[in-house]
Amino acid sequence: MNGTDEGIKRVNAQKKRKPKRRVRWWLLIFPVILAVGIIAAFKVPAMMKDSKIRNLGYSREEAEAIAEAGLSDTILENGYYSEHLAEAIRTGTLQKDYIPLYVATDTTREFSDRDFLLYRRLADEGYEEDQLMNLFASLKFYELTPLLTFDYQWNEQLYIDDVIACREQNAGGSFVLESSYRQNYRMKYAAEDPHNLNVLVNKNYYLPADFVPEELTPITTEYSVAGMQLTKEAAEAAVKMCMDALGEGYAFFISGSYMDYVSIQNAYTHFLNNKGEYYADIQIGKAGFCEFQTGLSINLAATYEKYEDFRTTESYKWLKDNCVRYGFIERYPYGKEDITGCAEDASYYRYLGKELAAKVSASSLTYDEYWCLFLKGWYEETNRPADTLIENALAEVTDRS
């Protein structure tokens, strides 16, 4: 064997004697441990939340639905539970933004978009969640809407107790309370868009002293006393209404219409000096806070009937059935004085245009309530719900089917 062969054998022997590579098992186990840890980090808290939610009274099915809806933290942080809430979660009918309403009420109370809109409006007026829960747990929709026209109630329980005490008296559609929840002229707001047909003027919303309606139009003395005038659109509608009624055998004429700021001021002062502040406020109101300045309001008088109360006349019966077709509403209905802040007046009509008048009439709300619920701007845009909810609420309130 030569040197070359021996060298080859030596090299081969060294290769055979090379130590084997050791496998580091912990490197293989680490990813598994890491994966288990990550899963546990998510799973364990979820299981703990599930357990806590079920301890509140929810079933496994309801707890799973709460987790899927991303409501676990909200439910746990507030300790929310009620049979009504559980049912809404289970049936998939829950409106997530209004959980407190479900907590505050039992399963006999059904909520719809009109309730959710009212909830948002009252929240926008400053009512806290606990107050809203108390109000909606105790009162019905039409018992709550007057709050939109009243001053903010720091102690809502006083209002609740008053409403409940007067329920029997108000069963026929009136809304009379034992106490007052408004201080006239305390909260003063400039009327939104004074020239708009839907402008609201009452004991809180006022017109400026220099406001004069556009296109003031004299009304023919065939259907009014001398000197009456309204905006062009309202004047034409009023004359058409008087004319058509006469054609059907009902005769009435316009006895009151547009008054300027100074005239209203003089009238208020006269009532104030002769009959006192209360009477002056409910009969006409301070200058700026009287709707006659809009040029959209009229008083009517029956021509051939003897009466002390216009409500007893045949003319009123015709108007009650037909005024909306001409764009007018009875502005200060009987039994709603506490809401409007004005004396009931069956002879007083406000022009809104046919479409809006029909909606207000169908809603069974006073115009003050309707405007505050559907037409008013928002103090906080975050309180404003989706347009579709507002539209659905309006459809619910005006649906007479």
Side-chain angles (χ1 to χ4, degrees):
M1 181 180 296
N2 57 34
T4 302
D5 292 334
E6 289 178 358
I8 292 171
K9 289 181 179 180
R10 193 163 45 250
V11 170
N12 289 335
Q14 290 174 348
K15 288 181 178 181
K16 290 178 181 179
R17 289 196 299 272
K18 186 175 180 181
K20 294 182 178 180
R21 185 178 180 183
R22 295 180 179 178
V23 178
R24 299 180 180 179
W25 293 104
W26 65 272
L27 291 175
L28 297 176
I29 296 173
F30 179 75
V32 176
I33 295 174
L34 182 62
V36 171
I38 292 173
I39 293 172
F42 286 95
K43 198 73 174 176
V44 171
M47 291 173 63
M48 292 177 65
K49 285 183 180 179
D50 180 82
S51 177
K52 290 178 180 179
I53 286 172
R54 293 188 65 187
N55 285 339
L56 289 174
Y58 295 99
S59 68
R60 181 180 296 279
E61 175 191 0
E62 292 160 357
E64 291 175 355
I66 288 170
E68 290 176 6
L71 294 174
S72 298
D73 290 337
T74 299
I75 296 292
L76 290 174
E77 287 172 6
N78 296 281
Y80 284 147
Y81 179 81
S82 72
E83 291 184 9
H84 195 182
L85 178 57
E87 180 185 67
I89 291 169
R90 186 172 58 254
T91 58
T93 59
L94 177 68
Q95 294 288 332
K96 294 190 289 186
D97 292 335
Y98 308 97
I99 289 178
L101 294 187
Y102 297 91
V103 177
T105 56
D106 59 35
T107 54
T108 61
R109 178 70 180 268
E110 295 184 5
F111 291 115
S112 62
D113 285 340
R114 72 174 190 175
D115 299 292
F116 301 140
L117 175 60
L118 179 56
Y119 179 94
R120 289 292 189 93
R121 281 295 190 184
L122 289 172
D124 201 47
E125 292 294 324
Y127 287 93
E128 302 289 343
E129 183 178 290
D130 62 328
Q131 291 182 294
L132 293 170
M133 291 173 71
N134 192 20
L135 287 165
F136 279 84
S138 307
L139 303 179
K140 304 170 186 177
F141 177 80
Y142 285 104
E143 295 172 329
L144 291 169
T145 52
L147 282 172
L148 297 175
T149 73
F150 296 156
D151 296 341
Y152 170 76
Q153 302 303 305
W154 294 96
N155 185 351
E156 78 286 352
Q157 190 61 48
L158 295 177
Y159 175 79
I160 291 170
D161 293 342
D162 198 348
V163 172
I164 292 174
C166 293
R167 271 182 177 164
E168 184 175 347
Q169 183 179 357
N170 293 329
S174 298
F175 191 79
V176 178
L177 299 173
E178 293 296 327
S179 300
S180 174
Y181 299 90
R182 174 198 294 110
Q183 182 179 336
N184 291 336
Y185 319 114
R186 186 175 72 85
M187 302 298 292
K188 300 178 182 179
Y189 307 98
E192 296 181 13
D193 196 1
H195 291 285
N196 196 310
L197 281 180
N198 69 22
V199 63
L200 177 70
V201 177
N202 59 19
K203 297 301 188 295
N204 297 116
Y205 289 87
Y206 65 90
L207 294 169
D210 61 354
F211 173 79
V212 177
E214 297 173 344
E215 295 188 288
L216 276 175
T217 303
I219 301 173
T220 173
T221 53
E222 185 177 0
Y223 300 108
S224 75
V225 297
M228 298 293 100
Q229 53 182 344
L230 296 169
T231 64
K232 185 174 186 297
E233 183 177 340
E236 291 175 350
V239 168
K240 181 75 164 59
M241 183 168 68
C242 292
M243 185 186 305
D244 289 354
L246 185 60
E248 296 180 29
Y250 300 90
F252 51 81
F253 60 93
I254 299 166
S255 58
S257 63
Y258 168 71
M259 296 173 66
D260 62 32
Y261 186 92
V262 174
S263 297
I264 294 170
Q265 192 171 46
N266 292 337
Y268 182 84
T269 301
H270 172 77
F271 282 125
L272 185 65
N273 292 337
N274 289 277
K275 295 196 173 183
E277 183 178 16
Y278 174 77
Y279 191 86
D281 282 338
I282 66 171
Q283 288 297 324
I284 189 165
K286 289 183 178 180
F289 296 87
C290 174
E291 209 177 52
F292 273 126
Q293 193 182 350
T294 65
L296 299 169
S297 298
I298 55 174
N299 271 126
L300 297 172
T303 305
Y304 302 117
E305 301 181 66
K306 291 183 178 180
Y307 61 92
E308 291 184 4
D309 183 353
F310 188 78
R311 189 175 302 279
T312 63
T313 66
E314 293 300 313
S315 293
Y316 173 72
K317 295 176 183 177
W318 186 92
L319 285 162
K320 193 170 181 64
D321 292 336
N322 294 282
C323 69
V324 170
R325 294 194 296 113
Y326 299 89
F328 287 91
I329 62 166
E330 185 180 346
R331 180 66 177 89
Y332 301 117
Y334 177 81
K336 299 296 179 74
E337 297 90 335
D338 284 348
I339 299 175
T340 64
C342 290
E344 64 87 12
D345 189 347
S347 72
Y348 188 105
Y349 293 82
R350 162 68 190 272
Y351 183 73
L352 294 172
K354 294 179 182 180
E355 182 178 354
L356 182 55
K359 290 177 180 177
V360 175
S361 177
S363 74
S364 298
L365 297 167
T366 63
Y367 187 55
D368 305 79
E369 295 168 285
Y370 184 98
W371 187 89
C372 288
L373 186 60
F374 292 110
L375 302 178
K376 184 180 178 180
W378 296 79
Y379 297 118
E380 298 287 343
E381 276 299 311
T382 53
N383 287 323
R384 179 188 174 93
D387 289 341
T388 51
L389 186 147
I390 298 174
E391 292 167 3
N392 291 341
L394 179 58
E396 290 170 7
V397 168
T398 58
D399 182 11
R400 285 186 164 180
S401 61

